[in-house]
Amino acid sequence: MKILVLGGDGYLGWPSALHLSRCGHQIGIVDNFARRGYDQELGIASLVPLASLRTRVTAWREVSGLRLEVYEGDLTEAGFIHRVIRAFRPEAVVHFAEQRAAPYSMIDRDHAVYTQVNNVVGTLNLLYAIGELDRDIHLVKLGTMGEYGTPNIDIEEGWLEVEHKGRTERVLYPKRPGSFYHLSKVHDSHNIEFACRAWGLRATDLNQGIVYGQQTPDTALDPRLATRFDYDSLFGTVVNRFVVQAVLGLPLTVYGSGGQTRGLIDIRDTVECIRLSVENPARAGEFRVFNQMTQSMSVLDIARTVAEAYPGDVEVERLANPRVEADQHYYRVQHSRLTELGLIPHLLSETLLTSLFDIAREHAERALPQTILPQTDWRTPSATARTTPP
Ligand code: NAD
Ligand code: USQ
């Protein structure tokens, strides 16, 4: 298939592009390098060094003999994405290209506005390009488990059957997210569902849990193919952060009591979920939702698991929670649709953690310990700009 990967220079987009390429698909990558721009803006960096996209693409051709096309540009420019879809003529578009960090979206007003404009307008422009040029294109959109929040009832896969005063209805599952970033994903989901209903588009919304890990079989083939390893307080996700903290001999930073429970997924499963979704498209007019996670764990359990797997002393520290979130709550999630399509999950294991410790140790001298403690506070809105988004 011809597949366009939007955000194909990012943590997940790059390994997904490689996986799809190796599985025989023809891949185009779209990116505006905003993510590399946030590093410049904030003085943060991936622990593992990153080659430029041009070097990555050359390395992939040398290693695999396969070509990747590159389109550099911004989804918030409607003309750009329209031209790319017209030129590349994809059968599927996988859309990773958003500002994805909750703490970044909560820095101040400018970062909240930037996040929502970037994400919501980019997705709307994409919907219009698909709607006008080829409604048969299957949109595979990265959403997030955090759209649901932590409701006191089971979380279903996107839709909920409701009985009210003797009548029944199938509704989009009610959303109660925990940051302006997560809210941008909810707005996207509603816009995409409407486009499916109004224009007959076909879409899969992947409500993905927190990703951990850094290597896939493809990125491990050559150091130039490596993907990001973020560990700072804005972009680092919890498992990867705890791994780097352990290796640096710093305490693991559990926010609040650590009872907050989240869905998790290994990066190797992410790329496989993308392949499964693309190769099994939604029907015309269908807005399909998969909960893309393989297990749930509380933050405290994650910290204990990392500490137990680490061959050395690790302290677990409880910090005042900078976020507004429940840290004692019910959490039960339905997530069977991707396994029904064939996903065989990797669960968080000592083997995986040991290989992550090794990667972190290899690059430990690049670590910036001053970027680790949280600096964004959910409770104090600031209309004064601290730094400027790219
Ligand atoms: P990332 O920031 O590493 O990658 C996103 C890529 O999109 C970057 O390369 C960035 O430059 C690009 N981009 C952003 N805005 C763009 C625009 N307007 N035009 C063109 N390119 C643009 O993020 P990631 O961790 O790879 O996440 C990818 C997607 O998966 C995001 O949508 C995110 O919300 C979702 N997701 C990520 C996780 C996770 O744990 N990393 C979990 C659940 C969902
Ligand atoms: N947490 C800590 N200590 C830390 C870091 C995080 O206790 O040092 C806690 C947070 O308070 C939160 C949980 O761990 O309760 C997860 O935080 P996170 O930063 O790993 O993940 P989150 O902000 O939710 O965002 C990440 C990705 C985002 C994706 C989301 C999936 O950055 O792109 O959408 O995971 S989900 O959480 O399912 O919404």
mmCIF file with all atom_site columns, all heavy atoms in Angstrom, residues 290-303:
data_model
loop_
_atom_site.group_PDB
_atom_site.id
_atom_site.type_symbol
_atom_site.label_atom_id
_atom_site.label_alt_id
_atom_site.label_comp_id
_atom_site.label_asym_id
_atom_site.label_entity_id
_atom_site.label_seq_id
_atom_site.pdbx_PDB_ins_code
_atom_site.Cartn_x
_atom_site.Cartn_y
_atom_site.Cartn_z
_atom_site.occupancy
_atom_site.B_iso_or_equiv
_atom_site.pdbx_formal_charge
_atom_site.auth_seq_id
_atom_site.auth_comp_id
_atom_site.auth_asym_id
_atom_site.auth_atom_id
_atom_site.pdbx_PDB_model_num
ATOM 1   N N   . PHE A 1 290 ? -9.789  2.047  18.553 1.00 0.00 ? 290 PHE A N   1
ATOM 2   C CA  . PHE A 1 290 ? -9.100  0.945  19.239 1.00 0.00 ? 290 PHE A CA  1
ATOM 3   C C   . PHE A 1 290 ? -8.371  1.526  20.443 1.00 0.00 ? 290 PHE A C   1
ATOM 4   O O   . PHE A 1 290 ? -7.709  2.560  20.322 1.00 0.00 ? 290 PHE A O   1
ATOM 5   C CB  . PHE A 1 290 ? -8.035  0.293  18.334 1.00 0.00 ? 290 PHE A CB  1
ATOM 6   C CG  . PHE A 1 290 ? -8.556  -0.375 17.097 1.00 0.00 ? 290 PHE A CG  1
ATOM 7   C CD1 . PHE A 1 290 ? -7.685  -0.662 16.054 1.00 0.00 ? 290 PHE A CD1 1
ATOM 8   C CD2 . PHE A 1 290 ? -9.890  -0.741 16.955 1.00 0.00 ? 290 PHE A CD2 1
ATOM 9   C CE1 . PHE A 1 290 ? -8.128  -1.296 14.898 1.00 0.00 ? 290 PHE A CE1 1
ATOM 10  C CE2 . PHE A 1 290 ? -10.358 -1.381 15.799 1.00 0.00 ? 290 PHE A CE2 1
ATOM 11  C CZ  . PHE A 1 290 ? -9.456  -1.652 14.763 1.00 0.00 ? 290 PHE A CZ  1
ATOM 12  N N   . ASN A 1 291 ? -8.459  0.853  21.567 1.00 0.00 ? 291 ASN A N   1
ATOM 13  C CA  . ASN A 1 291 ? -7.648  1.244  22.727 1.00 0.00 ? 291 ASN A CA  1
ATOM 14  C C   . ASN A 1 291 ? -6.297  0.544  22.615 1.00 0.00 ? 291 ASN A C   1
ATOM 15  O O   . ASN A 1 291 ? -6.191  -0.665 22.838 1.00 0.00 ? 291 ASN A O   1
ATOM 16  C CB  . ASN A 1 291 ? -8.365  0.881  24.030 1.00 0.00 ? 291 ASN A CB  1
ATOM 17  C CG  . ASN A 1 291 ? -9.593  1.757  24.246 1.00 0.00 ? 291 ASN A CG  1
ATOM 18  O OD1 . ASN A 1 291 ? -9.726  2.835  23.636 1.00 0.00 ? 291 ASN A OD1 1
ATOM 19  N ND2 . ASN A 1 291 ? -10.505 1.321  25.093 1.00 0.00 ? 291 ASN A ND2 1
ATOM 20  N N   . GLN A 1 292 ? -5.286  1.341  22.231 1.00 0.00 ? 292 GLN A N   1
ATOM 21  C CA  . GLN A 1 292 ? -3.976  0.782  21.895 1.00 0.00 ? 292 GLN A CA  1
ATOM 22  C C   . GLN A 1 292 ? -3.077  0.757  23.131 1.00 0.00 ? 292 GLN A C   1
ATOM 23  O O   . GLN A 1 292 ? -2.225  1.625  23.322 1.00 0.00 ? 292 GLN A O   1
ATOM 24  C CB  . GLN A 1 292 ? -3.371  1.622  20.760 1.00 0.00 ? 292 GLN A CB  1
ATOM 25  C CG  . GLN A 1 292 ? -2.087  1.055  20.212 1.00 0.00 ? 292 GLN A CG  1
ATOM 26  C CD  . GLN A 1 292 ? -1.704  1.695  18.904 1.00 0.00 ? 292 GLN A CD  1
ATOM 27  O OE1 . GLN A 1 292 ? -2.501  1.765  17.980 1.00 0.00 ? 292 GLN A OE1 1
ATOM 28  N NE2 . GLN A 1 292 ? -0.487  2.181  18.783 1.00 0.00 ? 292 GLN A NE2 1
ATOM 29  N N   . MET A 1 293 ? -3.319  -0.222 23.977 1.00 0.00 ? 293 MET A N   1
ATOM 30  C CA  . MET A 1 293 ? -2.507  -0.422 25.187 1.00 0.00 ? 293 MET A CA  1
ATOM 31  C C   . MET A 1 293 ? -2.524  -1.910 25.469 1.00 0.00 ? 293 MET A C   1
ATOM 32  O O   . MET A 1 293 ? -3.400  -2.628 24.984 1.00 0.00 ? 293 MET A O   1
ATOM 33  C CB  . MET A 1 293 ? -3.101  0.347  26.367 1.00 0.00 ? 293 MET A CB  1
ATOM 34  C CG  . MET A 1 293 ? -4.570  0.029  26.613 1.00 0.00 ? 293 MET A CG  1
ATOM 35  S SD  . MET A 1 293 ? -5.218  0.750  28.092 1.00 0.00 ? 293 MET A SD  1
ATOM 36  C CE  . MET A 1 293 ? -4.763  -0.505 29.303 1.00 0.00 ? 293 MET A CE  1
ATOM 37  N N   . THR A 1 294 ? -1.540  -2.378 26.226 1.00 0.00 ? 294 THR A N   1
ATOM 38  C CA  . THR A 1 294 ? -1.493  -3.823 26.450 1.00 0.00 ? 294 THR A CA  1
ATOM 39  C C   . THR A 1 294 ? -1.606  -4.202 27.928 1.00 0.00 ? 294 THR A C   1
ATOM 40  O O   . THR A 1 294 ? -1.846  -5.345 28.249 1.00 0.00 ? 294 THR A O   1
ATOM 41  C CB  . THR A 1 294 ? -0.180  -4.408 25.891 1.00 0.00 ? 294 THR A CB  1
ATOM 42  O OG1 . THR A 1 294 ? 0.894   -3.728 26.522 1.00 0.00 ? 294 THR A OG1 1
ATOM 43  C CG2 . THR A 1 294 ? -0.086  -4.220 24.383 1.00 0.00 ? 294 THR A CG2 1
ATOM 44  N N   . GLN A 1 295 ? -1.376  -3.228 28.834 1.00 0.00 ? 295 GLN A N   1
ATOM 45  C CA  . GLN A 1 295 ? -1.507  -3.533 30.258 1.00 0.00 ? 295 GLN A CA  1
ATOM 46  C C   . GLN A 1 295 ? -1.700  -2.225 31.033 1.00 0.00 ? 295 GLN A C   1
ATOM 47  O O   . GLN A 1 295 ? -1.375  -1.149 30.520 1.00 0.00 ? 295 GLN A O   1
ATOM 48  C CB  . GLN A 1 295 ? -0.263  -4.263 30.784 1.00 0.00 ? 295 GLN A CB  1
ATOM 49  C CG  . GLN A 1 295 ? 0.981   -3.412 30.831 1.00 0.00 ? 295 GLN A CG  1
ATOM 50  C CD  . GLN A 1 295 ? 2.235   -4.229 31.153 1.00 0.00 ? 295 GLN A CD  1
ATOM 51  O OE1 . GLN A 1 295 ? 3.151   -4.317 30.345 1.00 0.00 ? 295 GLN A OE1 1
ATOM 52  N NE2 . GLN A 1 295 ? 2.283   -4.840 32.326 1.00 0.00 ? 295 GLN A NE2 1
ATOM 53  N N   . SER A 1 296 ? -2.228  -2.332 32.257 1.00 0.00 ? 296 SER A N   1
ATOM 54  C CA  . SER A 1 296 ? -2.377  -1.154 33.123 1.00 0.00 ? 296 SER A CA  1
ATOM 55  C C   . SER A 1 296 ? -1.463  -1.320 34.319 1.00 0.00 ? 296 SER A C   1
ATOM 56  O O   . SER A 1 296 ? -1.315  -2.428 34.847 1.00 0.00 ? 296 SER A O   1
ATOM 57  C CB  . SER A 1 296 ? -3.797  -1.049 33.692 1.00 0.00 ? 296 SER A CB  1
ATOM 58  O OG  . SER A 1 296 ? -4.747  -1.136 32.701 1.00 0.00 ? 296 SER A OG  1
ATOM 59  N N   . MET A 1 297 ? -0.899  -0.205 34.758 1.00 0.00 ? 297 MET A N   1
ATOM 60  C CA  . MET A 1 297 ? -0.085  -0.234 35.986 1.00 0.00 ? 297 MET A CA  1
ATOM 61  C C   . MET A 1 297 ? -0.204  1.112  36.686 1.00 0.00 ? 297 MET A C   1
ATOM 62  O O   . MET A 1 297 ? -0.357  2.145  36.022 1.00 0.00 ? 297 MET A O   1
ATOM 63  C CB  . MET A 1 297 ? 1.404   -0.442 35.652 1.00 0.00 ? 297 MET A CB  1
ATOM 64  C CG  . MET A 1 297 ? 1.802   -1.869 35.411 1.00 0.00 ? 297 MET A CG  1
ATOM 65  S SD  . MET A 1 297 ? 3.542   -1.976 34.958 1.00 0.00 ? 297 MET A SD  1
ATOM 66  C CE  . MET A 1 297 ? 4.277   -2.269 36.552 1.00 0.00 ? 297 MET A CE  1
ATOM 67  N N   . SER A 1 298 ? -0.085  1.087  38.015 1.00 0.00 ? 298 SER A N   1
ATOM 68  C CA  . SER A 1 298 ? -0.019  2.360  38.734 1.00 0.00 ? 298 SER A CA  1
ATOM 69  C C   . SER A 1 298 ? 1.406   2.891  38.635 1.00 0.00 ? 298 SER A C   1
ATOM 70  O O   . SER A 1 298 ? 2.358   2.130  38.408 1.00 0.00 ? 298 SER A O   1
ATOM 71  C CB  . SER A 1 298 ? -0.414  2.180  40.199 1.00 0.00 ? 298 SER A CB  1
ATOM 72  O OG  . SER A 1 298 ? 0.641   1.541  40.886 1.00 0.00 ? 298 SER A OG  1
ATOM 73  N N   . VAL A 1 299 ? 1.547   4.204  38.824 1.00 0.00 ? 299 VAL A N   1
ATOM 74  C CA  . VAL A 1 299 ? 2.870   4.818  38.747 1.00 0.00 ? 299 VAL A CA  1
ATOM 75  C C   . VAL A 1 299 ? 3.800   4.234  39.819 1.00 0.00 ? 299 VAL A C   1
ATOM 76  O O   . VAL A 1 299 ? 4.980   3.980  39.565 1.00 0.00 ? 299 VAL A O   1
ATOM 77  C CB  . VAL A 1 299 ? 2.726   6.351  38.872 1.00 0.00 ? 299 VAL A CB  1
ATOM 78  C CG1 . VAL A 1 299 ? 4.073   7.007  39.090 1.00 0.00 ? 299 VAL A CG1 1
ATOM 79  C CG2 . VAL A 1 299 ? 2.059   6.915  37.627 1.00 0.00 ? 299 VAL A CG2 1
ATOM 80  N N   . LEU A 1 300 ? 3.243   3.971  41.012 1.00 0.00 ? 300 LEU A N   1
ATOM 81  C CA  . LEU A 1 300 ? 4.079   3.398  42.071 1.00 0.00 ? 300 LEU A CA  1
ATOM 82  C C   . LEU A 1 300 ? 4.557   1.999  41.683 1.00 0.00 ? 300 LEU A C   1
ATOM 83  O O   . LEU A 1 300 ? 5.726   1.641  41.906 1.00 0.00 ? 300 LEU A O   1
ATOM 84  C CB  . LEU A 1 300 ? 3.300   3.371  43.387 1.00 0.00 ? 300 LEU A CB  1
ATOM 85  C CG  . LEU A 1 300 ? 4.122   3.117  44.634 1.00 0.00 ? 300 LEU A CG  1
ATOM 86  C CD1 . LEU A 1 300 ? 5.245   4.135  44.811 1.00 0.00 ? 300 LEU A CD1 1
ATOM 87  C CD2 . LEU A 1 300 ? 3.218   3.133  45.886 1.00 0.00 ? 300 LEU A CD2 1
ATOM 88  N N   . ASP A 1 301 ? 3.671   1.211  41.061 1.00 0.00 ? 301 ASP A N   1
ATOM 89  C CA  . ASP A 1 301 ? 4.087   -0.128 40.614 1.00 0.00 ? 301 ASP A CA  1
ATOM 90  C C   . ASP A 1 301 ? 5.155   -0.037 39.525 1.00 0.00 ? 301 ASP A C   1
ATOM 91  O O   . ASP A 1 301 ? 6.072   -0.868 39.477 1.00 0.00 ? 301 ASP A O   1
ATOM 92  C CB  . ASP A 1 301 ? 2.887   -0.930 40.101 1.00 0.00 ? 301 ASP A CB  1
ATOM 93  C CG  . ASP A 1 301 ? 2.079   -1.499 41.247 1.00 0.00 ? 301 ASP A CG  1
ATOM 94  O OD1 . ASP A 1 301 ? 2.620   -1.560 42.372 1.00 0.00 ? 301 ASP A OD1 1
ATOM 95  O OD2 . ASP A 1 301 ? 0.909   -1.855 41.027 1.00 0.00 ? 301 ASP A OD2 1
ATOM 96  N N   . ILE A 1 302 ? 5.031   0.970  38.662 1.00 0.00 ? 302 ILE A N   1
ATOM 97  C CA  . ILE A 1 302 ? 6.058   1.147  37.623 1.00 0.00 ? 302 ILE A CA  1
ATOM 98  C C   . ILE A 1 302 ? 7.405   1.448  38.300 1.00 0.00 ? 302 ILE A C   1
ATOM 99  O O   . ILE A 1 302 ? 8.436   0.855  37.970 1.00 0.00 ? 302 ILE A O   1
ATOM 100 C CB  . ILE A 1 302 ? 5.677   2.289  36.648 1.00 0.00 ? 302 ILE A CB  1
ATOM 101 C CG1 . ILE A 1 302 ? 4.408   1.925  35.874 1.00 0.00 ? 302 ILE A CG1 1
ATOM 102 C CG2 . ILE A 1 302 ? 6.831   2.589  35.679 1.00 0.00 ? 302 ILE A CG2 1
ATOM 103 C CD1 . ILE A 1 302 ? 3.820   3.069  35.060 1.00 0.00 ? 302 ILE A CD1 1
ATOM 104 N N   . ALA A 1 303 ? 7.364   2.353  39.286 1.00 0.00 ? 303 ALA A N   1
ATOM 105 C CA  . ALA A 1 303 ? 8.609   2.721  39.986 1.00 0.00 ? 303 ALA A CA  1
ATOM 106 C C   . ALA A 1 303 ? 9.217   1.489  40.670 1.00 0.00 ? 303 ALA A C   1
ATOM 107 O O   . ALA A 1 303 ? 10.424  1.243  40.579 1.00 0.00 ? 303 ALA A O   1
ATOM 108 C CB  . ALA A 1 303 ? 8.330   3.825  41.003 1.00 0.00 ? 303 ALA A CB  1
#
